[in-house]
Amino acid sequence: MQQKVILRVLPTEAADADILAASIAAHCAVKQESITGYYILKQSIDARSKTIWINLTVVAFINEPFTGRPFHAIDLKHVTHASQSAIIIGSGPAGLFAALKLLELGIKPIILERGKDVRSRRRDLASLNKQGIVNSDSNYSFGEGGAGTYSDGKLYTRSSKRGDVRRILEILVAHGAKDEILVDAHPHIGTNKLPKLIENIRENIRFHGGEVHFDAKVTDIIVHNNICKGVVVSEKEYVGEGVILATGHSARDIFELLHSKNIYIESKPFALGVRVEHQQSLIDSIQYHCEHRGDYLPASSYALVTQTMFKGVQRGVFSFCMCPGGFIVPSATQQGEVVVNGMSPSKRDSQFSNSGIVVSIENEDIKKYAQHGALAALRFQQDIERQACIVAGNTQHAPAQRLQDFVQGKVSSSLLETSYQPGTTSVLMDEVLPDFVSKRLKDAFVDFGNKMKGYFTNEAQILGVESRTSSPVRIPRNNETFEHVQVKKLYPCGEGAGYAGGIVSAAMDGENCASKLIESILKK
């Protein structure tokens, strides 16, 4: 028989297979030799008290052969000679999972990616980190795998109603991810592991007859009688049964293109702020209530949120994309702007901890940009990033300030060691951020210090700006068909269209858009 068992054990016990097997046997009231095997269904850490516990849900096999964890592989069709195809703009998680869904149902996907493959992309990232050279088509946002490829690879999502989260995770495991992601409460893959996984997905798409084109920047969308027929890349036309627009949250040229062609888009709220960097050992000591976390606990993370008031208006301030044991990276997509983001390797073994701390920006906060219409939030975002570059000396140095100095309005006489490779420049962050953002951040950091004793310290520093939290534009679509509200056969998808926020939610949205496209084909 099989029995689901819920256990609460110490970290050392969770790491010892024999002790764990004995605990399972005791819980099931059987001899240990009766346990032929088990697999972990869910795992989480409870660090609310001084004693740290590991919560486990396991499935035990009792007196029957151990068959392992159930796994549902996807069945991809070979479509080399398929009569029907669909165009996918972008090879991030939304685009890649849309392609896999199309293959499942026998439609040929044609992926057009403006950037380079993951291996070639690394050279451009090295130039950005070491020389401050921004390649506008190959950077931390653009290229195979999208912005998620060189990131922490966080897989946690609250968007479970959008699709089957476990299916997405199992597809990732089938392409090389460790099956730990099926277990952990907050799974992640790691920036050092993601590129190979993305390569495996691409090669699987090609093996089954799909096409993946790099250095294929879309310069026009072909629309006749409000029906999208295809796209243009370097004067070459690609046509298909539909176009899935999965370009990511930084594809400003696509937003500009749609706007110029009078294809309806709208300004969307987003969040903007800074990235704060602490020593990981400090965050561990706060979260785990001990001086050293030891060998059996991972680098600790945190999630913080508060409400702030400025001139009678309340806005949320919250941690975003927290990266334990990680690095801060330059995420600009054009010269003349400075943008920061965070990432972590799979082991999360950097000495640094970093997180975005960002303020919710609503359209009414940026009324002076209203003249830009649908591009209002985008223009605001651009101005902040350009100002960050100016105050940092028109380089990829990040404007920076020690945390308490920022709250007290002091220029930091010295800055701390940082994981940010291009370097930092000491500035008053108030010269970069508008007062309605800066004041809210200051209030939030004080509040966060009250919630996490030791967090608010001058041994931490902030770097700016964290501005690519989500798309500043929404591309509206029909709730039933997922087609654009104005243009049929155009399927706005993922983060760039304003319908996802992270790898898993974008992947599910990609699948959903592909399914709707297929439905439209079947109705013919």
Side-chain angles (χ1 to χ4, degrees), residues 4 14 27 195 229 236 253 271 287 298 354 358 433 455 473 496:
K4 185 182 291 187
H27 185 92
K229 300 292 187 180
K236 179 180 179 179
D253 58 320
Q287 296 296 77
N354 70 78
V358 294
L433 302 170
Y455 181 91
V473 168

Side-chain angles (χ1 to χ4, degrees), residues 361-401:
I361 307 294
E362 302 291 336
N363 288 329
E364 52 264 38
D365 296 325
I366 52 174
K367 289 180 180 177
K368 71 176 185 178
Y369 287 84
Q371 61 181 325
H372 299 290
L375 301 178
L378 188 153
R379 296 289 182 245
F380 168 72
Q381 184 187 61
Q382 284 179 310
D383 281 354
I384 299 297
E385 294 171 359
R386 289 167 180 165
Q387 180 64 12
C389 187
I390 291 169
V391 301
N394 290 306
T395 67
Q396 278 302 304
H397 279 209
Q401 196 171 6

Side-chain angles (χ1 to χ4, degrees), residues 382-432:
Q382 284 179 310
D383 281 354
I384 299 297
E385 294 171 359
R386 289 167 180 165
Q387 180 64 12
C389 187
I390 291 169
V391 301
N394 290 306
T395 67
Q396 278 302 304
H397 279 209
Q401 196 171 6
R402 293 198 186 210
L403 185 52
Q404 290 181 334
D405 288 346
F406 167 63
V407 173
Q408 296 166 6
K410 299 177 182 178
V411 174
S412 299
S413 58
S414 64
L415 294 173
L416 300 166
E417 181 185 3
T418 180
S419 63
Y420 184 76
Q421 285 191 42
T424 54
T425 297
S426 180
V427 305
L428 277 173
M429 202 65 74
D430 291 342
E431 296 178 3
V432 178

Side-chain angles (χ1 to χ4, degrees), residues 282 285-287 447-456:
L282 173 63
S285 68
I286 296 171
Q287 296 296 77
D447 184 54
F448 294 162
N450 293 330
K451 293 175 177 176
M452 289 179 62
K453 302 300 182 183
Y455 181 91
F456 181 55

Side-chain angles (χ1 to χ4, degrees), residues 243-246 258 264 474-478 482-485 487 489-494 496-499 509 513:
V243 173
I244 295 177
L245 193 62
L258 296 175
Y264 182 67
R474 177 176 287 107
I475 308 174
R477 66 190 186 194
N478 182 292
F482 279 32
E483 293 172 307
H484 184 267
V485 292
V487 179
K489 301 299 183 184
L490 177 64
Y491 296 83
C493 184
Y499 294 100
D509 201 53
C513 283

